[in-house]
Amino acid sequence: MSEGASYASAGVDIEAGDRAVELMKEWVAKATRPEVVGGLGGFAGLFDATALTSYRRPLLATSTDGIGTKVAIAQKLDKHDTIGFDLVGMVVDDLVVCGAEPLFMTDYICTGKVVPETIAQIVKGIAEACVEAGTALVGGETAEHPGLLEVDEYDVAGAATGVVEADEVLGADRVRAGDVVLAMASSGLHSNGYSLVRHVFFERAKWTLDREVPELGTTLGEVLLTPTRVYAKHCLELIQELNDGDGRPLHAMSHITGGGFAANLARVIPDELSVRIDRSTWTPAPIFGLVGLLGDVALPELEKTLNMGAGMVAVLDPSAADTAIQALAARDIPAWVCGEVTAAPGGTVTLEGAYAK
């Protein structure tokens, strides 16, 4: 008589999942805030909302995202402790652009087969990024999907909740003609456009991840796996520093992700105004030029796919620009004025000139 079917024989190892939870507890414990209630392992993460009673009119903000096909690079290199920064950055930096403080986050990891050490490394990166963002990691889920994903494949997603005072929300309604656009340097490609990047390097150029690239100063894999810069805490501090008064010179922010510089900045520009961006104010990192060169990718296509070296943008009164640049420099974030808001109607963002060499 044949042995009966079981969850394990179908490919799901519950014990491995339990071990993964044990291994990740050390890291999750570091990504906390005083408002977190209870520990890891419950059905839901608990967060004490008593602090919200001090707000005049608190608005909750929420965001969700994933890492995209950058996970394929981590899997090929068998290095899994940095992509958590990509996940957290993609999520919490979408919250901070409206002025919201990211309070807590949850993650979701699905894989073909749970390898506890791999899952723990992924969560380690998520937790470390949450610490950097000042956000609590209150829970998550790990799921085994045999037959849907290969044994060594996984995908990661997350969601976060934040809060902002209703009368302090940043956005298009605050932007004025004469405002300047302040760009904040990215750490590299961040976590967007990797379908194009992988196509160019692996399918067209036939490069390997261990290839030493003189222009990059290291291997291709090292650069492609560079973690996303997490701006949230630094931007919140900048908002508080500049807008802690009646003037409130910081008017809007934009997270430069999928769609590129122009499309994302246009989301916070009112229809009655427009923006001119001067490319000559910065030099994109070599990785951007290599994607264009090896893939014969036209500049407009590059610019609507990749961040081109600017991962976050602020729109502010010109009187506050120098203060903002200095404040960001003190936090190791290079920033520069790259454009201005004009009275031309249309709500468009135009990039002009050539990038500095």
Side-chain angles (χ1 to χ4, degrees):
M1 183 176 179
S2 62
E3 184 178 343
S6 67
Y7 215 7
S9 68
V12 177
D13 187 343
I14 294 176
E15 286 74 21
D18 292 340
R19 174 160 168 71
V21 171
E22 287 301 314
L23 290 175
M24 71 177 70
K25 279 184 176 179
E26 171 191 355
W27 304 108
V28 176
K30 299 177 187 294
T32 189
R33 290 171 55 118
E35 302 94 337
V36 175
V37 178
L40 190 65
F43 285 95
L46 299 176
F47 191 90
D48 186 349
T50 304
L52 300 188
T53 60
S54 66
Y55 283 70
R56 298 181 301 278
R57 185 188 169 200
L59 300 183
L60 293 180
T62 185
S63 177
T64 186
D65 209 337
I67 299 170
T69 61
K70 188 173 182 175
V71 296
I73 308 299
Q75 290 161 18
K76 286 185 178 181
L77 290 175
D78 195 24
K79 181 173 173 54
H80 314 284
D81 62 345
T82 63
I83 58 170
F85 282 82
D86 300 297
L87 177 65
V88 174
M90 291 300 103
V91 175
V92 301
D93 288 340
D94 274 0
L95 290 180
V96 77
V97 298
C98 71
E101 176 187 5
L103 299 174
F104 56 85
M105 182 167 178
T106 57
D107 64 71
Y108 175 76
I109 304 169
C110 60
T111 181
K113 178 177 177 58
V114 169
V115 178
E117 292 75 14
T118 297
I119 300 301
Q121 285 296 295
I122 295 171
V123 175
K124 172 180 180 287
I126 295 172
E128 289 177 335
C130 281
V131 171
E132 187 165 313
T135 305
L137 182 60
V138 297
E141 175 72 11
T142 301
E144 216 166 26
H145 291 171
L148 183 63
L149 295 169
E150 296 297 326
V151 169
D152 58 351
E153 290 182 338
Y154 60 78
D155 199 7
V156 186
T161 297
V163 62
V164 59
E165 285 281 14
D167 61 358
E168 295 178 5
V169 174
L170 304 179
D173 60 309
R174 294 177 179 266
V175 176
R176 301 289 181 265
D179 282 352
V180 296
V181 179
L182 189 75
M184 302 177 209
S186 67
S187 57
L189 295 169
H190 283 184
S191 192
N192 296 103
Y194 270 75
S195 293
L196 172 63
V197 170
R198 290 166 52 246
H199 171 71
V200 167
F201 285 118
F202 306 146
E203 296 178 24
R204 291 180 64 105
K206 307 297 183 184
W207 284 15
T208 58
L209 288 170
D210 61 357
R211 182 187 179 107
E212 291 282 348
V213 184
E215 298 95 323
L216 303 179
T218 185
T219 64
L220 176 64
E222 185 76 19
V223 172
L224 294 189
L225 205 56
T226 299
T228 296
R229 172 168 272 155
V230 178
Y231 299 93
K233 190 173 183 180
H234 307 301
C235 286
L236 279 174
E237 291 171 351
L238 181 66
I239 293 167
Q240 291 163 2
E241 182 174 340
L242 295 182
N243 286 7
D244 187 19
D246 296 331
R248 297 185 181 179
L250 204 166
H251 298 150
M253 303 187 85
S254 178
H255 188 197
I256 309 304
T257 57
F261 196 113
N264 281 288
L265 181 55
R267 294 164 70 178
V268 296
I269 303 301
D271 292 340
E272 63 271 20
L273 302 175
S274 292
V275 173
R276 288 199 305 262
I277 299 297
D278 182 1
R279 294 188 184 98
S280 71
T281 57
W282 82 96
T283 304
I287 187 66
F288 298 102
L290 277 176
V291 174
L293 179 65
L294 295 176
D296 193 25
V297 183
L299 183 58
E301 183 69 20
L302 274 182
E303 291 180 332
K304 76 177 185 181
T305 308
L306 307 176
N307 67 62
M308 300 305 289
M312 182 71 78
V313 170
V315 182
L316 66 167
D317 188 277
S319 65
D322 287 344
T323 300
I325 291 171
Q326 292 169 12
L328 290 166
R331 295 168 172 85
D332 295 322
I333 300 178
W336 63 96
V337 172
C338 66
E340 63 177 348
V341 179
T342 72
T348 59
V349 176
T350 305
L351 280 72
E352 301 176 347
Y355 291 109
K357 298 296 185 180

